[in-house]
Amino acid sequence: MSPPHSSAALLSGWGRTAPSGAELVRPLGLGELRTTLDDAPTRGVIARGLGRSYGDAAQNAGGRVIDTTSVDDVAWFDAERGHIKVAAGASLDELMRHLVPRGWFVPVSPGTRFVTVGGAVASDIHGKNHHRVGSWCDHVSELTLLTPADGQVTVGPDRDPDLFWATAGGMGLTGVILDATVTLTPIETSRLLVDTDRTANLDEVMALMESGDAAYPYSVAWIDLVATGSALGRSVLTRGRFARRHELTGSAARDPLAYSPQVVAGVPPVVPSGLLNRASIRAFNEFWYRKAPARRRDEVQEIPRFWHPLDLVRDWNRLYGARGVVQWQCVVPLEAGGALRRIIAGLAEARCPSFLSVLKRFGPANPGPLSFPGPGWTLSLDIPAMVSGLGPLLDRLDLEVVEVGGRIYLAKDSRLRPELVGDMYPRLDEWRAVRDRADPNGVLRSDLSRRLGLC
Amino acid sequence: MATVRDAVGGVQSVLVLGGGSDLALATVRRMVADRCHTVVLAARHPDRLEGELAALRGAGAATAESVSFDADDVTSHQKVVDDVFARHGDIDLVLLAFGVLGDQDNFDHDPVAAAAAATTNFVGGVSAGLAVAGQLRAQGHGTLVVFSSVAGVRVRADNLVYGATKAGLDGFASGLSDRLAGTGARVMVVRPGFVHSKMTDGMDPAPFATTPEAVADAVLDGLRRGSEVVWAPPALRLVFGVLRLVPRPVWRRLSAR
């Protein structure tokens, strides 16, 4: 049976940097999704969700790409125990709309809610609570996968754990994810109590996070990478927790689980390249830092403001113009604070304009060989791709990261030197062995896997 | 958007058609110094490139080889290109860099020689370009860089045949770029001015004369930016913006050497 609803498409990641052409198929349900590995073209197949990976993880030049977003059913929801079994194409946005009014929240949320459950597994995504609860796949009890070797299989931490953990952060290369069973987080209200601290420099924010993060379920710092000298690494640290019911007052108390996220603006399809440049990014960073309170406690915030401020603007990636944006996210071990300082100083010195830079402390890693998070400091940047000298600069930063035993996040990568992947992910061969069992003929391929020689 | 798979213009594998070209070799050396691990030089005399290949290997290319390629034998182009793609897998970048300059004074008295130059520069470019385009379309990504020339932007009397062949090649490449829109494969046209190289050895340099290394930098910058046309040096874009418009009598005087 040939795949349903196929067309030629030019696909890129959220960074819009390196588009490639593929046959895009759009199955309308689980039944059709199960046929998408049939008659696989020689250049292979990869699944794609909402295309929020910045790089080339969900594109497959000259091959087939499966758009899973129409396969989004909830198979069942246990409102007592907080478990949900949901199809891979469902978005976290849909899940939250369903769950929050019922007193449950996703266990992990990234900075956007427009990611799919399948993508969350394939990238083993993390959020502001990694230091307390780990990453997405730590909360998945079961996955259904479609593998080239064995067709439909069910895996979990206690059922073929090798394949389960190879799939966690496996970038979709171990099988097409059909559905996931996820353990949710109970909430009494949809509001957060947020503490904000503005710090004068990097040392101050790192010290605050080291000493205080454990007390907060959610913690992240926005960092100004344009500031130099004694202000190097100045930051706005926001930490919070869900409010208890009795802590709300006024209208919030009358409807404690209200949840209605909005999109307030869009960006037109064509934006002149260069709108976000050194000057405008410097000005934004200055404004953002100044507008934050020096210290504020127990501010009541709604979920979208705390987690997903960028989701207020649809297609915000278009602000970077046709040349797009490069994201770079690394993690370095906790004891390698010096390397973190060197990286941040290097970026500031190169006058590298990063619009939204984020610093966070990760907790322990899970068993996934390609899962990104691990104990350490993670720094993420986004830089207009048109910035000259960006390639060599990021190559130098990669070496700093490898030097101290860190790595960069594959879901965001679009330009890493392939020879560094093995150093960053020392269990790559172990992952390859599991992948070869699930996909002995290399049907599952992506631009990312080819560019980095993952398999 | 960058034209190759890498978001900042990085190239891992390159095929050069016209592997002896100073411009192409300068470009390839830059790429190998970055992260290019596979280089295939297709040339009329592949045996003459051994020293160059050894240098590229020494500079970090895991694979550097030459294959026999005759720009005039258009019936062979498809096979040569297909073989390279079959043996090396994905090719991020193809440089179409062959061409002959010739001497207009000779061409005036030797139409057969002029036609031979036109065959090499234009006919060969069309055939090889289409063979490459088919492969890039099938692999869903990759860039064909076509070395045109400012000589083709407005053809000069004393460089008539060469200029006309480059005008034809330039038009072909620009149209092919549009033909490939939406497939992931792309074409970038490079228009160098006078370049100090083997081809121009002994000639008087024209204004804005440049070097193969400077052209290579312009090519890399164009790849990073996702440019459709690159001028080398970049100032020639403005210069020819004006020269294209000057009246014919003025152009005749300006272009006389």
Side-chain angles (χ1 to χ4, degrees):
Chain A
M1 184 169 150
S2 73
H5 321 296
S6 86
S7 59
L10 188 64
L11 299 170
S12 69
W14 192 243
R16 305 171 81 213
T17 46
S20 66
E23 172 205 18
L24 184 68
V25 304
R26 195 179 169 83
L28 293 178
L30 267 176
E32 288 186 358
L33 184 55
R34 286 190 192 100
T35 68
T36 47
L37 290 182
D38 301 351
D39 309 319
T42 51
R43 291 184 63 87
V45 181
I46 196 75
R48 177 182 177 95
L50 284 161
R52 255 37 174 213
S53 287
Y54 282 80
D56 48 10
Q59 55 200 68
N60 180 20
R64 180 183 296 166
V65 175
I66 310 163
D67 174 348
T68 62
T69 53
S70 296
V71 188
D72 58 357
D73 323 66
V74 173
W76 50 257
F77 170 47
D78 178 344
E80 292 300 306
R81 294 164 55 228
H83 289 196
I84 192 165
K85 180 173 178 176
V86 60
S91 69
L92 265 53
D93 179 54
E94 291 162 319
L95 277 188
M96 287 180 204
R97 287 173 195 274
H98 181 76
L99 295 172
V100 171
R102 292 168 174 78
W104 295 97
F105 195 60
V106 291
V108 165
S109 175
T112 172
R113 44 181 202 279
F114 296 108
V115 299
T116 61
V117 168
V121 171
S123 296
D124 193 20
I125 60 169
H126 57 270
K128 296 170 193 258
N129 55 354
H130 188 276
H131 63 290
R132 290 268 288 254
V133 306
S135 51
W136 182 264
C137 292
D138 290 312
H139 306 273
V140 173
S141 54
E142 205 170 84
L143 285 176
T144 314
L145 276 181
L146 187 66
T147 66
D150 301 309
Q152 188 169 320
V153 296
T154 303
V155 298
D158 46 12
R159 187 167 175 186
D160 197 347
D162 286 347
L163 184 53
F164 175 81
W165 287 113
T167 304
M171 306 314 294
L173 296 164
T174 58
V176 176
I177 298 160
L178 299 180
D179 61 50
T181 305
V182 183
T183 306
L184 304 165
T185 303
I187 52 176
E188 284 186 26
T189 80
S190 60
R191 314 303 203 283
L192 292 116
L193 297 181
V194 179
D195 291 353
T196 303
D197 294 276
R198 195 171 74 179
T199 75
N201 54 46
L202 182 64
D203 290 339
E204 207 178 308
V205 73
M206 288 172 72
L208 266 180
M209 291 169 100
E210 268 166 18
S211 62
D213 266 12
Y216 295 90
Y218 303 106
S219 165
V220 75
W222 169 84
I223 179 166
D224 178 1
L225 287 181
V226 180
T228 51
S230 61
L232 183 76
R234 65 182 184 177
S235 302
V236 178
L237 175 61
T238 51
R239 297 181 287 191
R241 61 178 173 86
F242 274 104
R244 309 288 304 269
R245 197 165 295 218
H246 68 265
E247 290 169 319
L248 296 183
T249 57
S251 62
R254 283 194 292 283
D255 193 358
L257 287 166
Y259 179 68
S260 54
Q262 311 278 322
V263 173
V264 299
V267 177
V270 179
V271 171
S273 281
L275 180 69
L276 293 185
N277 54 38
R278 283 200 167 92
S280 64
I281 288 174
R282 177 178 291 271
F284 170 83
N285 279 253
E286 187 69 31
F287 164 76
W288 199 253
Y289 181 77
R290 296 277 164 219
K291 103 174 184 26
R295 185 175 191 276
R296 183 167 55 197
R297 289 292 174 270
D298 291 336
E299 184 194 8
V300 178
Q301 291 189 6
E302 299 192 348
I303 289 167
R305 177 167 163 215
F306 185 66
W307 260 286
H308 314 124
L310 283 173
D311 287 344
L312 287 172
V313 182
R314 188 188 303 116
D315 299 323
W316 61 265
N317 56 338
R318 289 177 178 165
L319 288 172
Y320 287 93
R323 287 178 206 152
V325 56
V326 173
Q327 265 253 357
W328 184 82
Q329 182 170 357
C330 69
V331 59
V332 297
L334 287 171
E335 62 276 14
L340 183 69
R341 272 186 202 91
R342 282 196 298 280
I343 288 166
I344 289 171
L347 287 159
E349 193 177 310
R351 300 180 59 239
C352 187
S354 176
F355 185 44
L356 283 170
S357 318
V358 164
L359 180 67
K360 158 142 200 78
R361 267 170 76 92
F362 277 152
N366 68 28
L370 291 193
S371 174
F372 167 67
W377 296 96
T378 184
L379 175 72
S380 87
L381 338 162
D382 41 10
I383 304 161
M386 63 182 289
V387 166
S388 62
L390 181 57
L393 173 68
L394 294 180
D395 285 345
R396 287 198 298 277
L397 298 189
D398 289 340
L399 293 177
E400 290 269 8
V401 169
V402 167
E403 187 82 3
V404 295
R407 59 190 165 274
I408 71 153
Y409 192 10
L410 297 180
K412 294 189 171 179
D413 178 56
S414 55
R415 29 69 45 208
L416 179 66
R417 279 176 178 279
E419 64 268 26
L420 294 181
V421 185
D423 295 333
M424 292 183 169
Y425 291 90
R427 294 167 62 207
L428 183 59
D429 283 337
E430 185 188 323
W431 177 83
R432 283 179 176 139
V434 181
R435 152 162 167 122
D436 288 349
R437 162 161 72 87
D439 181 17
N441 299 319
V443 170
L444 297 161
R445 310 283 299 274
S446 65
D447 286 5
L448 175 85
S449 77
R450 284 194 185 88
R451 180 171 55 79
L452 294 181
L454 291 179
C455 48
Chain B
M1 58 188 95
T3 43
V4 279
R5 272 192 316 202
D6 180 321
V8 291
V11 169
Q12 293 191 15
S13 48
V14 61
L15 162 65
V16 182
L17 300 172
S21 154
D22 287 343
L23 273 56
L25 288 173
T27 307
V28 167
R29 282 183 211 119
R30 289 274 203 277
M31 289 173 175
V32 168
D34 177 29
R35 66 193 66 194
C36 181
H37 53 65
T38 299
V39 178
V40 181
L41 303 179
R44 196 186 297 263
H45 303 291
D47 45 309
R48 292 182 193 167
L49 294 168
E50 283 310 319
E52 187 62 45
L53 292 170
L56 290 170
R57 283 185 212 106
T63 304
E65 61 165 54
S66 59
V67 297
S68 180
F69 172 76
D70 180 356
D72 298 339
D73 181 9
V74 293
T75 58
S76 71
H77 291 179
Q78 184 84 57
K79 183 171 183 310
V80 172
V81 170
D82 289 355
D83 280 355
V84 170
F85 277 77
R87 279 186 299 114
H88 295 284
D90 286 20
I91 301 285
D92 291 341
L93 192 73
V94 180
L95 303 177
L96 198 158
F98 55 80
V100 291
L101 184 57
D103 180 342
Q104 187 58 41
D105 291 337
N106 288 344
F107 287 150
D108 287 340
H109 307 292
D110 192 350
V112 174
T119 301
T120 306
N121 291 4
F122 177 67
V123 179
V126 169
S127 156
L130 288 172
V132 169
Q135 285 288 351
L136 296 184
R137 191 196 293 265
Q139 79 178 11
H141 75 98
T143 302
L144 170 65
V145 173
V146 176
F147 283 93
S148 173
S149 167
V150 295
V153 175
R154 191 160 185 182
V155 177
R156 283 194 343 250
D158 64 2
N159 197 12
L160 157 64
V161 170
Y162 179 76
T165 63
K166 287 296 185 183
L169 183 66
D170 196 297
F172 166 73
S174 303
L176 183 60
S177 176
D178 295 336
R179 182 88 178 153
L180 291 172
T183 64
R186 297 177 57 133
V187 178
M188 185 170 91
V189 177
V190 182
R191 294 180 186 145
F194 185 96
V195 184
H196 293 283
S197 67
K198 281 198 296 284
M199 194 191 240
T200 59
D201 206 18
M203 292 171 62
D204 290 336
F208 297 98
T210 187
T211 62
E213 290 69 33
V215 175
D217 287 340
V219 169
L220 296 192
D221 195 52
L223 290 172
R224 188 177 68 79
R225 292 168 174 273
S227 306
E228 291 182 311
V229 178
V230 165
W231 300 75
L236 286 176
R237 179 178 168 207
L238 282 172
V239 172
F240 273 84
V242 174
L243 288 180
R244 249 201 271 240
L245 301 174
V246 301
R248 287 280 284 278
V250 179
W251 170 246
R252 273 198 287 277
R253 257 201 326 278
L254 280 175
S255 63
R257 308 274 308 268

